[in-house]
């Protein structure tokens, strides 16, 4: 078992081991949806929500179903099914009961099913041997860290709209370079806390 | 069977070569379609890892495109995503188990990124955009070409990052230690983003000089 305190995991996964900036997870939707701050906030909170719950759910399934049954080779397919099923369920639930939230979050939910950060968080949880509480913390922190990164990026991209970017760099290339600089800035947090 | 390249594609209705070229260069999955960025960044710290990941993607895209295309007339539209996921996950699991059985060290180094091939957008993208509308053989060529295009970019980035980051490539000293101080940053996360950013910019610059290929 991994001995790290859950709060350390939460802080580490937001700042020092940011799931996007140091593990490169969830880049596709990061690049596609970071144009506007509103969108970024919506997607970021949806990811945080789904990641917290699916990591917990996947933990329970992995520990109590797959591991005792010797079915580890099915891990990937089960995890992805849980994530897709959960997002589908949440979408229907939110649409039925809180239409307001549905319009804020709902449109992002299908996108999340294939967001690799969610599956990545579940896989990291398995590899690092987290306990249940640690997994929930990791899922929540991972989502929050991802949300932080995409919201910051949306702000930077709005600023970039006014700057004169060289032609070949326009679009994705400059976003990538700026993300690199942001990752560099986040490396400043290294040493504050560390998890492996 | 990776051997069914463009030349053996009589049954592809002559679309084989064009499909192949599109996948590798004109619509390269990474530099043009901007798909599959996560693994591109994550595994390219070492060239060796980049090769293995490229191989994995070639295998999975080729096979999943073939099978999704074979199944396309029986798959109801409503559940096609799940069906695609299942096919893709099957091949990823096959590759993962193979790696775990024969190359344990490599499997540990790649960590979660082998499993993450499932959510690699290239696979879903090609399945949705190509394999669902086209016959099996030409879909297979499309998968192979996209896999190759991906592997090529991975190899280039892996080469640059390992060379600048450590001075060595695949264990051979390339930049002599006498005058080159390895820039550790290149093998860390920021180096990955910056290297890929510059590579995409370079490919944009090259493309804008090709006749009739100007990018907006």
């Amino acid at each position: 078992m991994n001995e790290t305190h859950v709060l350390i995991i939460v802080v580490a996964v937001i700042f020092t081991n940011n799931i996007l900036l140091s593990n490169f997870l969830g880049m596709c939707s990061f690049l596609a949806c970071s144009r506007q701050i509103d969108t970024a906030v919506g997607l970021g909170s949806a990811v945080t929500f789904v990641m917290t719950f699916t990591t917990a759910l996947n933990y329970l399934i992995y520990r109590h179903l797959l591991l005792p049954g010797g079915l580890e080779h099915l891990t990937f397919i089960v995890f992805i099914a849980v994530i897709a099923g959960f997002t589908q369920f949440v979408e229907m639930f939110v649409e039925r009961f809180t239409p307001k939230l549905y319009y804020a979050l709902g449109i992002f939910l299908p996108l999340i099913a294939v967001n690799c950060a969610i599956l990545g968080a579940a896989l990291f949880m398995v590899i690092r041997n987290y306990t249940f509480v640690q997994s929930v913390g990791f899922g929540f922190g991972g989502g929050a860290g991802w949300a932080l990164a995409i919201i910051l990026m949306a702000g930077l991209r709005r600023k970039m709209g006014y700057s004169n970017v060289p032609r070949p760099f326009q679009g994705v290339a400059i976003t990538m370079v700026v993300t690199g600089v942001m990752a560099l800035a986040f490396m400043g947090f290294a040493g504050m806390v560390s998890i492996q | 069977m990776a051997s069914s390249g463009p030349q053996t594609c009589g049954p592809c209705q002559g679309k084989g070569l064009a499909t192949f070229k599109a996948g590798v260069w004109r619509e390269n999955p990474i530099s043009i379609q901007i798909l599959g960025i996560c693994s591109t960044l994550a595994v390219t710290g070492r060239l060796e890892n980049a090769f293995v990941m490229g191989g994995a993607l070639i295998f999975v895209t080729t096979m999943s495109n073939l099978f999704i295309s074979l199944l396309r007339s029986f798959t109801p539209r409503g559940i096609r995503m799940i069906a695609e996921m299942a096919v893709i996950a099957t091949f990823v699991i096959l590759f993962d188990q193979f790696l775990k059985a024969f190359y344990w060290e490599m499997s540990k180094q790649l960590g979660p990124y082998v499993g993450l091939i499932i959510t690699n957008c290239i696979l879903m993208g090609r399945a949705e955009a190509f394999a669902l509308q086209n016959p099996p053989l030409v879909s297979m060529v499309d998968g192979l070409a996209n896999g190759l295009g991906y592997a090529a970019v991975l190899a280039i980035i892996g080469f640059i990052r390992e060379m600048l980051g450590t001075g060595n490539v695949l264990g051979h000293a390339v930049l002599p230690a006498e005058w080159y101080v390895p820039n550790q940053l290149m093998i860390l996360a920021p180096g990955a983003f910056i290297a890929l950013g510059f590579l995409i910019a370079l490919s944009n610059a090259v493309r804008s000089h090709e006749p009739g290929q100007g990018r907006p």
Side-chain angles (χ1 to χ4, degrees):
Chain A
M1 277 297 133
N2 199 313
E3 299 274 321
T4 327
H5 193 276
V6 61
L7 280 178
I8 293 190
I9 291 180
V10 174
V11 174
V13 83
I14 293 178
F15 294 108
T16 58
N17 293 50
N18 188 293
I19 210 158
L20 185 109
L21 297 171
S22 72
N23 292 320
F24 317 106
L25 296 175
M27 283 301 292
C28 297
S29 28
F30 174 78
L31 292 171
C33 301
S34 60
R35 282 203 185 79
Q36 277 157 357
I37 294 183
D38 298 349
T39 326
V41 172
L43 188 63
S45 35
V47 165
T48 314
F49 179 74
V50 173
M51 202 187 270
T52 315
F53 283 92
T54 53
T55 314
L57 219 59
N58 278 329
Y59 175 87
L60 294 175
I61 289 173
Y62 183 76
R63 286 284 150 184
H64 299 292
L65 224 61
L66 296 182
L67 219 47
L71 298 169
E72 287 107 316
H73 57 282
L74 292 180
T75 305
F76 298 156
I77 206 161
V78 170
F79 280 10
I80 200 76
V82 167
I83 293 167
F86 183 79
T87 38
Q88 187 71 59
F89 175 75
V90 170
E91 193 185 351
M92 292 189 309
F93 185 84
V94 170
E95 189 182 12
R96 173 76 182 74
F97 291 104
T98 50
K100 225 175 183 176
L101 188 67
Y102 178 72
Y103 288 112
L105 284 188
I107 43 170
F108 300 113
L109 287 170
L111 272 177
I112 288 174
V114 288
N115 186 326
C116 49
I118 313 269
L119 180 62
L123 293 176
F124 269 121
M125 159 205 74
V126 168
I127 288 176
R128 293 179 181 165
N129 237 332
Y130 285 147
T131 62
F132 181 72
V133 181
Q134 284 171 329
S135 304
V136 176
F138 184 74
F140 172 76
W146 194 88
L148 177 68
I150 194 174
I151 293 167
L152 287 176
M153 192 65 216
L156 285 173
R157 278 182 91 159
R158 172 181 277 192
K159 200 93 176 144
M160 235 157 20
Y162 299 105
S163 40
N164 192 6
V165 178
R167 264 198 73 181
F169 274 96
Q170 277 169 17
V172 180
I174 192 69
T175 314
M176 207 68 88
V177 175
V178 170
T179 316
V181 177
M182 207 152 93
L184 198 59
F186 268 64
M187 277 175 70
F189 292 117
M192 189 168 74
V193 281
S194 74
I195 51 170
Q196 64 82 32
Chain B
M1 275 174 286
S3 62
S4 63
Q7 67 276 35
T8 57
C9 261
C12 295
Q13 300 122 21
K15 283 201 291 181
L17 191 60
T19 313
F20 189 78
K21 277 186 183 161
V24 175
W25 170 250
R26 199 160 40 78
E27 287 170 25
N28 184 291
I30 299 179
S31 65
I32 293 301
Q33 305 175 49
I34 320 292
L35 298 175
I37 302 293
C38 314
S39 51
T40 312
L41 295 166
V43 302
T44 48
R46 292 181 58 215
L47 185 54
E48 207 186 346
N49 297 358
F51 280 144
V52 174
M53 198 65 182
L57 234 276
I58 293 174
F59 169 73
V60 180
T61 39
T62 312
M63 297 312 282
S64 70
N65 255 17
L66 172 67
F67 276 86
I68 288 167
S69 175
L70 281 173
L71 293 171
R72 73 186 191 286
S73 38
F74 317 110
T75 319
R77 266 199 77 76
I79 61 153
R80 69 178 200 290
M81 296 270 210
I82 310 267
E84 285 162 11
M85 278 290 191
V87 172
I88 293 169
T90 311
F91 288 107
V92 174
I93 292 172
L94 273 179
F95 191 85
D96 183 56
Q97 295 290 315
F98 168 77
L99 217 56
K100 276 196 176 125
F102 297 106
Y103 300 95
W104 175 241
E105 281 304 309
M106 182 50 76
S107 167
K108 274 191 86 165
Q109 279 205 16
L110 290 176
Y113 295 101
V114 176
L116 284 169
I117 297 176
I118 297 175
T119 49
N120 191 315
C121 326
I122 297 178
L123 289 158
M124 279 301 257
R126 291 332 288 170
E128 285 278 303
F130 203 93
L132 279 181
Q133 281 101 35
N134 289 283
L137 268 180
V138 73
S139 301
M140 202 166 154
V141 173
D142 179 73
L144 177 69
N146 275 281
L148 280 174
Y150 172 88
V153 176
L154 242 68
I156 295 170
I157 301 178
F159 179 80
I160 295 171
R161 284 182 65 194
E162 193 176 342
M163 183 175 72
L164 296 180
T166 63
N168 301 336
V169 171
L170 294 175
H172 303 287
V174 175
L175 299 172
E178 289 95 69
W179 54 269
Y180 183 74
V181 183
N183 181 0
Q184 290 275 322
L185 188 65
M186 287 308 287
I187 48 177
L188 294 173
F193 288 112
I194 293 170
L196 184 59
F198 275 83
L199 196 74
I200 291 173
L202 184 70
S203 110
N204 284 347
V206 171
R207 274 167 226 271
S208 66
H209 289 292
E210 274 180 17
Q213 297 273 336
R215 288 245 305 150

